[in-house]
């Protein structure tokens, strides 16, 4: 059922078994798991069912350090969350992503890839993906035009991606949530404070506010915060009346280790003969599966580098596409229009070109999607400025290290050698990664709007915020859901993994309540 919190009597108290804060991919995925269960589930959404400028403005904040997108437009603040402008890219993390790597400081999850496998399979249904299959050989058998590059797989392999339609959670799952008998969706219910018991070992309630000057109290046995990495950290830090440093922040880890995926053009590929490269191509809204080039675990270990992938974009398209960070504005609606227009202009330029034959293209841009190393200096903090509901605004300091730059260079040196060895063509690195002593980043450096790591997972409270079940250390009934729990970022977009991790958390809570 649906209740507009603006219509409730001021000072209302709402009670349930589970309170889920945030109705994006994580929050809705979890709520659906409880549909029809003998428990009352409270799902809180700060906005409504449509874009609301006043609500969106609550996400505004400051950014320092490495140039970043406007915080206001990085996330959508209404039912369905950022799936409203999600592109649908999905792939699983690799085994190495969960391991402790001695060359990657602060790496190592308390869970393994195999712990997520059954939940990845379930997440496929939620995200409307195809079979839970990520081996290139499987897709080659499905489509004989899927011809892989003749590389040494011990060095460079084909990492498979699947594409969601993309699933718009706000549209796809609105009806089952609203019509549910035990899921109580409250819109316009922005959490502004978390109240714990006297010794701060358990959460008793959360306070919500809205623009109708209404304030309500939510009580539950368990609380799950599924807001996003920046807002999860912001809420814990701002709930500092009983814990001066913020809830769950005894060891100053809340907000730290903010990670993004580095997404930027890195090299150009010139082939001896035109190639269609169907296995590596993408047509938005049509392509269901494609491959990207990735370095093997053995090569990452040998070179002591981060994990990343490289996609191939016909150069005639890529050269007419501006850097994302240059066209993404504070208004997310305008920013999305800019993205669509840029893509349309690039495709028009491709159609007008006469250099591409029916056999394919002779030149491609190599575009990177690479993990950022966990870095405690890259963090979310509270600003002194407050939003219109009285919450301190978020302040993001995004900071990269020399490891990212060196990893980027080594990835393309390795891929370049494989193209040369196979006699297919040559790879030209862009100027900014040629000099081994240059640790600076070009102005077009951007991310994927993928926020991760700010309530990271660890068995040791000194090294993280939540345990292997996403429970906040020291607080018996408070959980974090989504990519804020990530220890490392891996190369793939975070949505598939965050849904899988949320389904795992949901199963854990079912056992607790039973």
């Amino acid at each position: 059922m649906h209740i507009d919190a603006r219509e409730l009597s001021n000072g209302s108290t709402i009670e349930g078994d589970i309170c889920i804060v945030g109705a994006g991919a994580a929050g809705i995925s979890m709520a659906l798991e409880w549909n029809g269960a003998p428990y009352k589930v409270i799902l809180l959404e700060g906005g409504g069912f449509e874009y609301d400028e006043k609500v969106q403005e609550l996400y505004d904040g400051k950014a320092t350090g490495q140039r970043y997108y406007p915080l206001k437009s990085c996330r959508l603040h209404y039912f369905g969350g950022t799936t409203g402008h999600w592109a649908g890219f999905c792939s699983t993390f690799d085994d190495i992503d969960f391991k402790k790597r001695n060359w990657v400081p602060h790496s190592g999850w308390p869970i393994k890839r195999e712990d997520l496998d059954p939940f990845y399979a379930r997440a496929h249904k939620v995200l409307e993906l195809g079979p839970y299959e990520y081996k290139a050989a499987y897709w080659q058998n499905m489509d004989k035009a899927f011809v892989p590059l003749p590389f040494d797989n011990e060095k460079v392999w084909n990492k498979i991606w699947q594409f969601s339609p993309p699933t718009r959670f706000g549209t796809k799952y609105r009806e089952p949530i609203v019509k549910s008998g035990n899921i109580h969706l409250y819109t316009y219910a922005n959490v502004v404070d978390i109240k714990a018991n006297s010794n701060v070992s358990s959460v008793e309630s959360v306070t919500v506010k809205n623009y109708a000057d209404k304030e309500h109290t939510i009580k539950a046995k368990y609380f799950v915060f599924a807001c996003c990495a920046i807002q999860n950290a912001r809420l814990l830090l701002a709930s500092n009346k009983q814990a001066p440093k913020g809830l769950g922040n005894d060891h100053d880890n809340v907000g730290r280790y903010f990670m993004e995926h580095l997404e930027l053009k890195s090299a150009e590929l010139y082939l001896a003969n035109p190639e269609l490269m169907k296995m590596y191509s993408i047509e938005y809204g049509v392509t269901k599966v494609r491959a990207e080039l990735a370095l093997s675990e053995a090569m990452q270990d040998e070179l002591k580098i981060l994990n990343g992938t490289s996609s191939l974009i016909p150069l005639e398209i890529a050269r007419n596409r501006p850097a994302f960070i240059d066209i993404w504005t504070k208004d997310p609606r305008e920013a999305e229009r800019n993205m669509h227009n840029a893509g349309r202009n690039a495709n028009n330029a491709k159609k007008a070109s006469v250099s591409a034959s029916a056999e394919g293209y002779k030149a491609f841009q190599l575009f990177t999607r690479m993990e950022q190393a966990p870095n405690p200096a890259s963090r979310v903090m509270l600003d002194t400025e407050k939003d219109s509901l009285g919450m301190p605004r978020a302040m993001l300091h995004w900071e990269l290290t020399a490891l990212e730059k060196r990893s980027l260079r080594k990835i393309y040196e390795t891929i370049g050698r494989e193209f040369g060895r196979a006699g297919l063509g040559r790879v030209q690195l862009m100027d900014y990664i040629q000099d081994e002593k240059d640790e600076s980043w070009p102005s077009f450096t951007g991310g994927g709007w993928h926020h991760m790591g700010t309530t990271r997972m660890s068995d040791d409270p000194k090294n993280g915020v939540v345990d292997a079940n996403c429970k906040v250390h020291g607080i018996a009934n408070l959980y974090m859901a989504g990519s804020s729990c990530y220890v490392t970022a891996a190369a793939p977009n975070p949505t598939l993994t965050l849904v899988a991790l949320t389904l795992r958390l949901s199963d854990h809570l079912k056992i607790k309540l039973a």
Side-chain angles (χ1 to χ4, degrees):
M1 66 182 67
H2 167 236
I3 305 96
D4 187 329
R6 298 173 299 180
E7 305 300 322
L8 294 173
S9 299
N10 190 39
S12 294
T13 297
I14 302 156
E15 298 188 45
D17 295 299
I18 296 178
C19 175
I20 303 169
V21 183
I28 291 176
S29 295
M30 171 164 277
L32 289 170
E33 284 286 298
W34 296 80
N35 192 14
Y39 302 103
K40 181 179 178 180
V41 177
I42 299 168
L43 178 60
L44 303 179
E45 168 53 48
F49 291 113
E50 305 293 339
Y51 183 90
D52 185 322
E53 176 60 24
K54 283 187 176 181
V55 175
Q56 189 66 36
E57 192 272 339
L58 298 172
Y59 277 179
D60 202 6
K62 296 177 183 175
T64 62
Q66 180 69 36
R67 181 189 180 197
Y68 198 64
Y69 305 106
L71 296 192
K72 176 184 172 183
S73 57
C74 284
R75 288 289 175 273
L76 294 178
H77 200 0
Y78 56 88
F79 184 76
T82 310
T83 65
H85 63 203
W86 175 48
F89 286 55
C90 291
S91 189
T92 60
F93 280 23
D94 303 326
D95 290 345
I96 191 174
D97 297 321
F98 295 91
K99 296 178 180 179
K100 173 66 178 175
R101 293 168 276 172
N102 58 21
W103 65 94
V104 181
H106 312 289
S107 61
W109 292 55
I111 62 174
K112 299 177 181 179
R113 156 64 193 272
E114 61 196 55
D115 295 326
L116 279 186
D117 270 328
F119 303 101
Y120 271 138
R122 283 165 54 182
H124 262 233
K125 296 179 181 179
V126 179
L127 298 172
E128 301 179 280
L129 295 167
Y132 180 48
E133 182 57 71
Y134 286 88
K135 293 178 181 176
Y138 174 89
W139 296 104
Q140 288 168 232
N141 289 333
M142 299 291 289
D143 186 347
K144 298 305 179 185
F146 247 49
V147 180
L149 289 163
F151 289 171
D152 180 353
N153 287 335
E154 296 299 314
K155 295 180 179 178
V156 179
W157 64 291
N158 295 302
K159 184 167 179 62
I160 294 295
W161 295 73
Q162 293 194 43
F163 294 86
S164 169
T167 303
R168 302 299 182 204
F169 277 56
T171 303
K172 174 75 176 177
Y173 298 118
R174 175 175 173 173
E175 184 173 333
I177 294 289
V178 170
K179 289 188 174 180
S180 173
N182 70 303
I183 300 173
H184 299 246
L185 168 66
Y186 290 84
T187 52
Y188 293 97
N190 290 275
V191 173
V192 296
D193 192 30
I194 308 169
K195 182 181 178 182
N197 59 1
S198 58
N199 62 356
V200 197
S201 63
S202 180
V203 171
E204 293 184 341
S205 65
V206 298
T207 302
V208 301
K209 289 184 178 181
N210 54 45
Y211 281 116
D213 292 325
K214 300 289 183 64
E215 180 178 312
H216 311 297
T217 299
I218 314 296
K219 296 182 177 181
K221 297 173 183 176
Y222 293 94
F223 292 85
V224 178
F225 279 72
C227 301
C228 75
I230 289 180
Q231 299 305 321
N232 274 358
R234 179 190 179 197
L235 283 164
L236 290 177
L237 291 171
S239 299
N240 52 22
K241 295 182 179 69
Q242 296 167 283
K245 293 191 293 184
L247 289 179
N249 199 30
D250 292 347
H251 299 283
D252 194 26
N253 286 315
V254 173
R256 291 189 183 272
Y257 304 97
F258 172 87
M259 296 176 291
E260 246 282 18
H261 285 126
L262 288 171
E263 295 195 358
L264 69 170
K265 55 186 179 182
S266 304
E268 293 180 352
L269 166 65
Y270 296 91
L271 298 172
N273 300 299
E275 296 285 351
L276 282 172
M277 296 287 190
K278 182 177 180 181
M279 186 169 180
Y280 307 92
S281 65
I282 180 173
E283 183 178 352
Y284 287 100
V286 176
T287 302
K288 297 298 182 183
V289 180
R290 78 157 175 183
E292 294 185 358
L293 300 175
L295 268 60
S296 67
E297 180 172 333
M299 284 303 296
Q300 291 180 51
D301 191 347
E302 178 183 328
L303 298 172
K304 307 302 180 190
I305 60 172
L306 297 162
N307 202 353
T309 63
S310 177
S311 59
L312 280 65
I313 307 170
L315 199 55
E316 290 152 358
I317 297 176
R319 282 182 170 172
N320 289 283
R321 182 182 294 172
F324 297 151
I325 200 163
D326 289 332
I327 60 174
W328 196 262
T329 62
K330 286 191 74 170
D331 186 328
R333 298 163 298 177
E334 179 185 56
E336 188 173 19
R337 285 195 296 271
N338 291 344
M339 291 280 284
H340 286 308
N341 290 337
R344 188 180 302 111
N345 293 339
N347 285 327
N348 289 340
K350 177 192 71 171
K351 292 175 183 177
S353 172
V354 295
S355 63
S357 71
E359 289 77 31
Y361 295 89
K362 289 194 69 173
F364 292 82
Q365 182 184 92
L366 299 179
F367 187 84
T368 303
R369 184 180 293 102
M370 188 182 78
E371 68 175 326
Q372 174 186 347
N375 176 10
S378 184
R379 62 187 300 195
V380 173
M381 300 168 284
L382 297 180
D383 194 4
T384 54
E385 181 184 338
K386 295 184 177 181
D387 66 24
S388 53
L389 296 182
M391 276 279 289
R393 292 195 183 277
M395 179 184 292
L396 170 66
H397 179 75
W398 188 31
E399 184 172 306
L400 304 176
T401 69
L403 180 57
E404 281 89 12
K405 193 71 177 288
R406 189 173 71 83
S407 298
L408 194 61
R409 184 182 306 109
K410 293 298 182 183
I411 286 172
Y412 284 100
E413 287 176 354
T414 305
I415 291 175
R417 282 194 293 270
E418 282 299 291
F419 272 107
R421 182 190 60 77
L424 295 175
R426 292 291 183 266
V427 170
Q428 178 179 337
L429 274 62
M430 292 193 170
D431 293 344
Y432 75 94
I433 56 174
Q434 291 184 9
D435 185 354
E436 293 186 1
K437 297 180 181 178
D438 181 9
E439 296 181 1
S440 65
W441 292 90
S443 62
F444 55 78
T445 301
W449 306 274
H450 304 155
H451 304 161
M452 300 165 279
T454 57
T455 65
R456 69 195 318 254
M457 184 185 291
S458 174
D459 284 334
D460 186 347
K462 293 180 181 179
N463 298 324
V465 178
V466 303
D467 65 15
N469 292 313
C470 300
K471 185 186 75 66
V472 174
H473 287 296
I475 304 180
N477 64 341
L478 179 59
Y479 293 78
M480 298 289 119
S483 57
S484 68
C485 300
Y486 290 7
V487 179
T488 49
N493 299 42
T495 307
L496 174 60
T497 298
L498 77 83
V499 171
L501 198 61
T502 301
L503 297 180
R504 181 175 177 270
L505 167 57
S506 184
D507 279 10
H508 170 75
L509 285 174
K510 286 178 181 178
I511 294 172
K512 295 283 287 186
L513 268 173

